[in-house]
Amino acid sequence: MITLNINGQNHDLDVEPEMPLLWVLRDRLNMTGTKFGCGVAQCGACTVHVDGESRRSCSTMVGDVVGSEITTIEGLDGKVAKAVQTAWQKLDVVQCGYCQSGQIMSAIALLSMIEKPTDADIDAGMEGNICRCGTYQRIRAAIHEAAKSLA
Amino acid sequence: MLKMRQADMPTSRRAFLKGAAVASATFVLGTFVPFGRFALAEGDAAAPKPVIDPNFFLRIDSDDTVTVLLKHLEMGQGVSTGLSTLVAEELDADWSKMRFDHGPNNPKVFNNLFFGSYIGTGGSTSMANSWTQMRQVGAAARAMFVAAAAKQWNVPAAEITVENSVLKHPSGKSARLGELVEAAMKEPVPQEIKLKEPKDWKYIGQKLPRLDTPGKTTGKAIFALDFRRPNMLVAMVARPPRFGGTAGKVDDAAARKIAGVVDVVQIPSGVAVLAKDTWAAMRGREALTIDWQLDKSEGRSSDEMLAEYRDLAGKPGLKADRRGDAAAALGNASDVHEAEFVFPFLAHAPMEPMNCVIELTKDGAEIWGGSQFQSIDDYAVSQVLGTTPDKIKIHTLLSGGSFGRRANAFADWAVEAAHIAKAIGGKAPVQLVWTREDDIKGGLYRPMVLHKLKAGLKDGRITGWQHAIVAKSILVGTPFEGMMVKDGVDATTVEGVAETPYQIENFAVDVHNAKTEVPVLWWRSVGHSHTAHVMETTMDELAGKAGQDPLAFRLSYLKEGAREAGVLKLAAEKAGWGKEMPAGTGQGIAMHHSFGSYVGMVAEVAAQEGGFKVSRIVAAVDVGIAINPDVIAAQVEGAIGFAMSAILRNRITFKDGVVEQGNFDDYEPTRMKEMPVVEVHLVTSAEPPSGIGEPGLPPLAPAIGNAIFAATGKRFRSLPFQGPISA
Ligand code: FES
Ligand code: FES
């Protein structure tokens, strides 16, 4: 039995410690906002926060995050998250939307670390998130927009 | 109306629907015309009469929420917003009250009017085929509400106005749409429908917020892979390492020992492992030992295939276009330009890998998935299950991209799921999941293509042009063949060269249909994904040899007033074409017409350590009436982001028949830092709207290649652009 703290709630789960967090979220807890894109830490679609930092849940074994605070897109809360989601909506960033949970999680982590990111900071901070629909220009603009609204 | 779905419809309508659901058992695509330029014109005798009854397309709730049932798949292109805009415009609905859902797979109602009587999304046809129909649906609904209010208030209908979902009469009477639903539903659907004049449009032409944004920014949107049924099993399939192979003896003992694995079954495409969750299915699949039968499979490497293509290109092929006498004209030239272009196989790699959920019913099945050609998917599944398409109920869900992948004549993902469900006797709902490796290695690629051409110049003018294209045909051997292949020439192989708008007197295009077991498919912009690059690179090279400005050279081959010329000029103007550029940087221009739309682009690039950086793309777009300029801009930005990866590095290659790439590490899409700044400018037009899902892609590679040449003198022809550049 493994206990995970997700979005402020403890979940007791009968899973092996090697099971990737992504599949525990999606298949055991039916929290499907976190997406499967590559399974090998290349695309960022599965990004969650572990103790406030971005983590690729497809490549994180649940045994390694016992005792940590895990946040998924469903559990977003707080000023930065709100600013990011609002900016995303204002600029209509999304296309297919499949990558966007991960993009939003990474953007929040970036803005939590750097209040006013430069384009180079955004390049670096968002490097691990692929958008096959090519919404990068709007993601960049939305991050700047969110930073502005938080200032 | 409007708040009802099939089950609650009045008897007469239900009867109609029942009749509509009886599909024929044979699948003849005689009137299937998937692409814009083959499109049936509205009013064409072969086109079924469009249904405009709002009862089929709209649900209106008492709180004024208007839900539009989409006839097209929302896969990111913004069609949910576009179709709803047309309805809301004529209904005079409050935009904040608009919602959408996908319609059922009833071909009598939700057919693509350009595809005859079939449901499908593709060829950038969604807005074009719905343009009149969806406005009529909105207008019909409005008239029914107005008629209902006129009766209740006992006033002439002509005195009633509708604004933001509220009906008003000068006497002071007013009502919301939601309050009148019951009464409006009983009104007859008007036969004569008058649409608004363009000057009265309130929504068309405006930047309305997308309807799919809220769900997609909160994790609440349900994509096919997020769908769950009680007791559902997850299936993964081990497929042969080479195309054309099959599974022989299977040892599944180790797989069955993995906790969570429930069953292992053999199906035509391979061996499926069924498990309680995805993780168990993955590990179960890894534990299989399969003796693959590969004697009929493709065993060649990419280089060997290319050698054969080159060989074919040297021989006479099927005639795809003939104007004048190209051979004689080349003989008269003072300079003959020769060029070869190679394009690799490409995977679509949509962010959401292929998947669906299937549940067998007593006489058919229900499917939940990102279905793009519902009329092919339901037919193909019905064949597997030995039933008819009307017994296959498709619930279309949001899909995480497609770029052509989900729309294929084989309905591969749906068929595979149906075989698995059948193999386990329907004992549980099945969710078929492809991993990224399954996707990258799974075929249905943009074909590998070879172009070889000769163009003659004399006194600064093109005397003649001879062109050979070698590729595996996308359509030969599929149900689309009858419509899109003529005398062996597959329109999707030669489009963009064969009908070039450039007025070249002596022009000959030959095509060779290469043979390989590698399955191929349309990939965003189909043939234009390679033909535009060849044409626009060559026009640039010829302009250089003729000592002329690339823009002026192109314009001199276009008809006066052509829309092609319009986008070229607008892109040039907005980009400051011809301005002084710093050393090591350059501008390149290109233009292409596809799917009824016209796009011109100017690229700005800089040579840099190890290659080049694309800094800016200025695009000029003519799609006729721009229904939502912001969605159009987004599609062009997106096409650029998508295509950059194929320009920078993507290629699917084979070593002894085995695909060498497997995931985003060796088939890496464009990343944030590689995305250029994109500006999109629209040509003002009163022409009916055409599509924009695909047309933003074709001119990008040549614009960039031409800019690299201007910056460095290095000419890239084949894609991707790899190799040294020195400024
Ligand atoms: S699914 Fe985890 S990084 Fe791609
Ligand atoms: S919006 Fe489709 S992958 Fe990013």
Side-chain angles (χ1 to χ4, degrees):
Chain A
M1 190 69 76
I2 274 183
T3 304
L4 294 181
N5 183 291
I6 303 168
N7 299 334
Q9 269 185 21
N10 280 337
H11 297 266
D12 296 328
L13 294 151
D14 180 17
V15 297
E16 293 163 55
E18 296 82 35
M19 187 161 176
L21 175 58
L22 172 67
W23 299 116
V24 172
L25 291 171
R26 292 185 55 85
D27 289 355
R28 294 296 169 94
L29 298 169
N30 200 21
M31 296 171 68
T32 57
T34 306
K35 303 300 187 198
F36 167 61
C38 69
V40 294
Q42 286 289 324
C43 77
C46 65
T47 305
V48 298
H49 295 164
V50 175
D51 297 327
E53 281 180 23
S54 278
R55 277 283 270 277
R56 310 297 179 221
S57 64
C58 68
S59 309
T60 301
M61 296 190 290
V62 284
D64 289 346
V65 287
V66 172
S68 294
E69 282 181 20
I70 300 160
T71 308
T72 70
I73 183 104
E74 290 93 348
L76 284 181
D77 197 9
K79 236 171 56 198
V80 179
K82 185 94 200 102
V84 167
Q85 284 171 309
T86 306
W88 244 249
Q89 288 165 7
K90 182 171 163 198
L91 298 184
D92 266 345
V93 169
V94 309
Q95 289 189 26
C96 84
Y98 194 80
C99 74
Q100 300 291 350
S101 294
Q103 304 280 3
I104 286 171
M105 298 308 284
S106 291
I108 293 167
L110 171 66
L111 283 164
S112 304
M113 239 157 54
I114 308 177
E115 268 177 37
K116 207 170 171 307
T118 61
D119 278 340
D121 294 332
I122 294 174
D123 284 347
M126 303 301 289
E127 162 118 64
N129 288 81
I130 289 170
C131 175
R132 188 65 171 145
C133 297
T135 64
Y136 296 115
Q137 171 153 308
R138 290 180 192 227
I139 292 173
R140 182 186 302 283
I143 293 173
H144 285 310
E145 169 77 25
K148 214 166 73 194
S149 78
L150 286 166
Chain B
M1 35 201 139
L2 306 173
K3 66 176 168 195
M4 305 178 298
R5 297 192 68 169
Q6 273 164 246
D8 340 296
M9 275 182 195
T11 340
S12 62
R13 296 222 168 90
R14 215 176 317 151
F16 172 68
L17 264 180
K18 230 183 355 193
V22 180
S24 63
T26 50
F27 193 56
V28 183
L29 285 173
T31 57
F32 197 102
V33 279
F35 295 101
R37 71 204 163 81
F38 291 99
L40 296 169
E42 268 173 72
D44 192 310
K49 200 170 172 327
V51 173
I52 58 155
D53 184 344
N55 289 288
F56 291 110
F57 289 103
L58 306 181
R59 289 196 316 252
I60 301 181
D61 296 328
S62 53
D63 66 356
D64 293 349
T65 304
V66 178
T67 304
V68 177
L69 295 190
L70 307 179
K71 49 186 246 179
H72 293 295
L73 170 67
E74 178 59 80
M75 49 192 163
Q77 81 280 41
V79 75
S80 53
T81 302
L83 295 176
S84 302
T85 299
L86 302 183
V87 171
E89 177 68 68
E90 294 289 340
L91 178 57
D92 286 309
D94 177 348
W95 183 251
S96 69
K97 297 283 166 61
M98 300 300 291
R99 303 286 182 273
F100 72 92
D101 201 348
H102 289 99
N105 56 322
N106 174 356
K108 286 280 156 76
V109 176
F110 294 92
N111 57 317
N112 183 327
L113 303 180
F114 291 175
F115 292 8
S117 50
Y118 299 94
I119 311 175
T121 304
S124 297
T125 60
S126 297
M127 295 314 294
N129 94 91
S130 310
W131 167 238
T132 302
Q133 182 189 24
M134 286 299 130
R135 285 184 299 150
Q136 286 177 335
V137 168
R142 183 187 189 280
M144 291 156 80
F145 276 101
V146 167
K151 268 185 206 154
Q152 274 191 12
W153 299 341
N154 208 4
V155 301
E159 290 174 8
I160 295 173
T161 55
V162 189
E163 205 184 331
N164 273 332
S165 302
V166 180
L167 294 93
K168 282 189 184 140
H169 183 261
S171 62
K173 291 200 160 61
S174 87
R176 294 176 294 103
L177 291 180
E179 294 171 304
L180 287 170
V181 170
E182 297 292 333
M185 194 170 67
K186 298 189 187 104
E187 292 296 324
V189 179
Q191 294 308 304
E192 286 292 302
I193 290 176
K194 200 172 152 347
L195 296 176
K196 284 183 186 174
E197 294 296 323
K199 67 171 169 44
D200 298 323
W201 287 337
K202 194 175 151 204
Y203 293 148
I204 293 170
Q206 300 305 310
K207 175 190 180 318
L208 293 177
R210 286 178 73 117
L211 295 183
D212 54 347
T213 290
K216 290 175 178 179
T217 46
T218 52
K220 293 204 176 89
I222 297 295
F223 293 84
L225 196 57
D226 303 330
F227 190 77
R228 305 282 181 261
R229 292 293 284 169
N231 305 318
M232 183 178 93
L233 295 175
V234 176
M236 284 207 180
V237 178
R239 301 179 188 84
R242 288 180 184 175
F243 295 110
T246 50
K249 215 172 125 344
V250 180
D251 177 357
D252 61 14
R256 286 181 186 272
K257 284 201 193 101
I258 288 175
V261 170
V262 174
D263 210 343
V264 177
V265 293
Q266 216 159 329
I267 57 169
S269 61
V271 181
V273 175
L274 293 113
K276 294 217 160 96
D277 59 47
T278 318
W279 172 237
M282 265 181 199
R283 287 183 306 155
R285 182 172 70 169
E286 274 163 30
L288 291 172
T289 307
I290 303 167
D291 184 15
W292 296 109
Q293 305 294 302
L294 301 175
D295 21 309
K296 291 203 189 80
S297 66
E298 172 64 86
R300 289 178 295 172
S301 298
S302 300
D303 289 348
E304 295 168 85
M305 291 187 219
L306 183 58
E308 187 208 299
Y309 284 24
R310 287 198 171 111
D311 192 44
L312 284 170
K315 298 176 177 158
L318 302 161
K319 294 179 179 58
D321 197 353
R322 285 288 183 277
R323 307 177 197 172
D325 185 342
L330 281 171
N332 294 334
S334 54
D335 181 11
V336 175
H337 169 80
E338 290 192 47
E340 178 190 278
F341 295 75
V342 181
F343 299 85
F345 290 108
L346 290 172
H348 306 72
M351 259 337 253
E352 180 192 13
M354 295 301 107
N355 71 88
C356 71
V357 174
I358 186 166
E359 186 168 329
L360 299 192
T361 56
K362 67 177 193 319
D363 57 357
E366 286 192 58
I367 293 176
W368 292 262
S371 182
Q372 191 174 344
F373 275 179
Q374 288 86 345
S375 293
I376 287 185
D377 299 337
D378 61 18
Y379 172 77
V381 168
S382 77
Q383 293 305 99
V384 174
L385 301 178
T387 178
T388 48
D390 57 305
K391 301 291 191 299
I392 310 299
K393 190 168 177 189
I394 298 181
H395 306 267
T396 301
L397 297 175
L398 290 173
S399 90
S402 172
F403 316 113
R405 178 62 182 83
R406 290 173 210 277
N408 68 75
F410 320 99
D412 62 330
W413 50 273
V415 162
E416 200 169 59
H419 278 296
I420 298 167
K422 190 175 152 187
I424 62 163
K427 72 180 176 203
V430 174
Q431 180 179 49
L432 169 69
V433 179
W434 287 43
T435 60
R436 181 58 56 196
E437 286 80 4
D438 296 336
D439 174 57
I440 302 279
K441 293 188 179 294
L444 291 172
Y445 302 128
R446 196 284 302 275
M448 181 169 98
V449 191
L450 172 75
H451 286 250
K452 257 179 165 339
L453 65 90
K454 284 185 195 167
L457 278 171
K458 192 175 184 183
D459 304 327
R461 301 299 290 167
I462 301 168
T463 60
W465 186 307
Q466 265 185 334
H467 200 130
I469 307 176
V470 187
K472 179 175 178 180
S473 159
I474 295 171
L475 298 174
V476 169
T478 74
F480 303 103
E481 178 165 351
M483 202 56 214
M484 305 272 301
V485 180
K486 204 163 169 284
D487 300 329
V489 177
D490 180 340
T492 68
T493 308
V494 300
E495 58 187 0
V497 170
E499 68 266 31
T500 178
Y502 292 123
Q503 304 292 300
I504 299 163
E505 263 166 55
N506 302 297
F507 192 68
V509 184
D510 280 29
V511 65
H512 301 264
N513 295 329
K515 301 267 182 294
T516 166
E517 285 292 325
V518 179
V520 295
L521 185 62
W522 32 59
W523 180 93
R524 198 174 192 171
S525 83
V526 199
H528 302 283
S529 70
H530 50 95
T531 57
H533 180 59
V534 175
M535 293 307 290
E536 289 300 288
T537 302
T538 303
M539 285 303 276
D540 224 69
E541 293 195 67
L542 294 177
K545 288 193 169 170
Q548 292 175 39
D549 169 67
L551 170 63
F553 187 73
R554 283 176 173 79
L555 291 175
S556 74
Y557 284 95
L558 292 169
K559 287 198 186 125
E560 194 55 36
R563 292 170 82 180
E564 287 88 350
V567 294
L568 270 172
K569 286 182 196 160
L570 183 61
E573 177 204 321
K574 297 291 182 186
W577 173 251
K579 70 185 176 190
E580 194 71 37
M581 295 287 289
T585 69
Q587 286 185 316
I589 194 163
M591 171 281 299
H592 198 70
H593 165 214
S594 60
F595 309 99
S597 298
Y598 304 79
V599 180
M601 279 183 188
V602 173
E604 293 180 8
V605 308
Q608 66 174 27
E609 186 74 24
F612 58 94
K613 157 97 186 154
V614 183
S615 51
R616 179 182 181 221
I617 302 289
V618 177
V621 177
D622 180 354
V623 291
I625 292 163
I627 295 167
N628 185 322
D630 193 54
V631 171
I632 293 167
Q635 281 308 292
V636 176
E637 294 161 19
I640 290 168
F642 179 83
M644 279 301 297
S645 59
I647 294 166
L648 292 169
R649 55 181 165 262
N650 286 172
R651 48 154 61 110
I652 293 290
T653 54
F654 291 87
K655 175 93 178 87
D656 300 330
V658 178
V659 176
E660 293 183 286
Q661 293 72 27
N663 206 315
F664 288 146
D665 47 355
D666 47 17
Y667 193 84
E668 190 184 7
T670 312
R671 291 195 185 264
M672 174 66 87
K673 66 173 187 296
E674 295 159 336
M675 182 75 191
V677 172
V678 177
E679 286 170 38
V680 180
H681 303 276
L682 298 179
V683 172
T684 312
S685 169
E687 297 286 329
S690 45
I692 195 61
E694 298 168 273
L697 189 143
L700 183 70
I704 291 173
N706 295 341
I708 293 171
F709 179 78
T712 67
K714 163 85 185 173
R715 175 60 72 181
F716 283 115
R717 291 197 185 112
S718 297
L719 284 172
F721 292 160
Q722 284 179 334
I725 294 179
S726 49

